[in-house]
Amino acid sequence: MTAICVYCGSNPGNRPDYLAAAEALGGLIARRGLRLVYGGAEIGLMGRVANAALAAGGEVVGIMPKALADREIAHKSLSELHVVPSMHERKKMMADLSDGFIALPGGIGTLEELFEVWTWAQLGHHEKPCGLLNVADYYSGLTAFLDRQITEGFVRAEHRAMLAVAADPSELLDAFAAYEPPHVTKWVERSDV
């Protein structure tokens, strides 16, 4: 594992805990010798996670659609900033450059990005870990719903277990280091294990 993608809000949220968690995660990624891949903005939790990784001596790669870069929200001090034509290309490049995916608190876009890469893992398109940093119980309601999907017969327990959840960034990165993908994809058992 060499690079971690972090999805998070372009807003700071209403709790200081969210900003502190972004700083803790960014700094930890850098101190573990991992590259941070993220959406490229200098605002909100996005800017905070990037600044913390940079301050800890880490390499930070931002990927931003041209329409957002044109609004002058692109971070100007990154190791690399890729400006791409569309959100689809942004998400693909973020996925291609990353070995794992973490969602800090965020809004609709944060959830959409994480759910997309988690779906790809469920379908067997990649074997990279996905996780939620559950800061101040931000994701507790969501994780309860995800557990209900198992009991209602819409998600296999193995696929739900693919999404690590932790309140501590170190615990989450440790879970990523120990991650092994399940033996089944969405519809079939894997033959390569």
Side-chain angles (χ1 to χ4, degrees):
M1 188 168 291
T2 61
I4 298 293
C5 179
V6 174
Y7 303 120
C8 58
S10 58
N11 292 310
N14 293 331
R15 294 175 180 252
D17 296 352
Y18 302 146
L19 292 168
E23 289 176 352
L25 180 60
L28 184 62
I29 287 171
R31 285 190 302 280
R32 289 201 179 186
L34 300 167
R35 181 174 54 251
L36 169 66
V37 177
Y38 87 116
E42 65 181 358
I43 58 174
L45 296 187
M46 293 175 75
R48 196 63 68 101
V49 72
N51 288 339
L54 290 167
E59 183 182 349
V60 179
V61 178
I63 302 156
M64 181 171 279
K66 185 176 184 330
L68 294 178
D70 288 347
R71 292 182 182 171
E72 299 181 1
I73 63 168
H75 199 298
K76 313 233 181 344
S77 302
L78 302 177
S79 309
E80 296 176 32
L81 176 64
H82 300 272
V83 177
V84 296
S86 71
M87 287 295 285
H88 293 292
E89 287 159 297
R90 174 199 220 179
K91 292 188 298 181
K92 181 181 182 332
M93 181 177 271
M94 290 171 82
D96 289 345
L97 294 177
S98 301
D99 301 310
F101 309 92
I102 294 175
L104 277 164
I108 296 166
T110 300
L111 292 173
E112 185 269 336
E113 289 170 321
L114 181 73
F115 273 79
E116 182 171 58
V117 293
W118 184 21
T119 300
W120 292 349
Q122 175 189 252
L123 295 172
H125 295 313
H126 68 76
E127 296 183 344
K128 302 171 185 180
C130 301
L132 296 170
L133 190 57
N134 193 19
V135 180
D137 289 321
Y138 182 77
Y139 285 117
S140 294
L142 176 62
T143 58
F145 174 73
L146 297 174
D147 292 340
R148 182 174 179 202
Q149 289 183 302
I150 297 168
T151 60
E152 297 296 331
F154 290 101
V155 174
R156 290 182 180 192
E158 302 96 330
H159 295 143
R160 168 62 184 89
M162 293 169 75
L163 183 68
V165 181
D168 177 71
S170 185
E171 183 182 331
L172 194 53
L173 288 178
D174 289 346
F176 276 30
Y179 177 76
E180 294 198 23
H183 296 295
V184 292
T185 62
K186 173 91 170 138
W187 293 282
V188 296
E189 288 195 34
R190 291 177 32 176
S191 60
D192 61 336
V193 291

